[in-house]
Amino acid sequence: MGFRGDLNISGVMGGAGGGAYNNVKINGQGNVNGPLDCVSFVCNGRSSIHGEVKAQTVEVNGSTSFEAKVDTGSMQINGKADVEGSLSARELRVDGQLKVKAGLSGEDIVVNGYLKV
């Protein structure tokens, strides 16, 4: 695996390209246009991801719309997330709201909020 840089979006940004990153962090409002392969994804604001997501960890502390499938080891939803594709998460914790359109698979799922599949 080659060098992976970080993608940081702060404030309001129209969009960034997809790709392979180490850490992806959105503080404010931003879009990722294309598939995303990263170690960690954190949204502290509002974001839209226009492509498949593969990440070791996903944390949403605001609102995120995933426009395709999401494959992750661990996902924590403290706000609101919509997944238009399928969601595969070894560990999933929902303390907010999560809607998954095309199916959910996981091993350890804890819901203290709202989950619709």
Side-chain angles (χ1 to χ4, degrees):
M1 177 170 75
F3 174 78
R4 290 178 176 226
D6 292 339
L7 172 61
N8 292 300
I9 297 174
S10 297
V12 178
M13 183 173 166
Y21 298 98
N22 189 29
N23 300 306
V24 175
K25 191 167 191 178
I26 299 172
N27 293 310
Q29 183 174 345
N31 300 322
V32 176
N33 300 308
L36 188 60
D37 182 344
C38 60
V39 175
S40 73
F41 173 87
V42 178
C43 175
N44 297 310
R46 170 173 262 156
S47 64
S48 293
I49 312 303
H50 303 282
E52 295 183 359
V53 174
K54 183 173 183 181
Q56 291 179 17
T57 62
V58 173
E59 182 177 349
V60 176
N61 300 308
S63 176
T64 298
S65 175
F66 298 97
E67 301 297 326
K69 78 175 187 174
V70 177
D71 184 5
T72 182
S74 173
M75 181 179 240
Q76 170 83 37
I77 305 298
N78 299 314
K80 178 181 182 286
D82 295 313
V83 180
E84 292 297 318
S86 62
L87 170 61
S88 175
R90 189 173 17 85
E91 298 175 358
L92 172 63
R93 181 175 180 104
V94 180
D95 291 320
Q97 176 179 311
L98 174 62
K99 293 180 183 177
V100 182
K101 189 170 187 178
L104 169 66
S105 66
E107 295 177 22
D108 184 12
I109 298 174
V110 176
V111 179
N112 295 314
Y114 175 83
L115 173 63
K116 179 180 180 182
V117 180

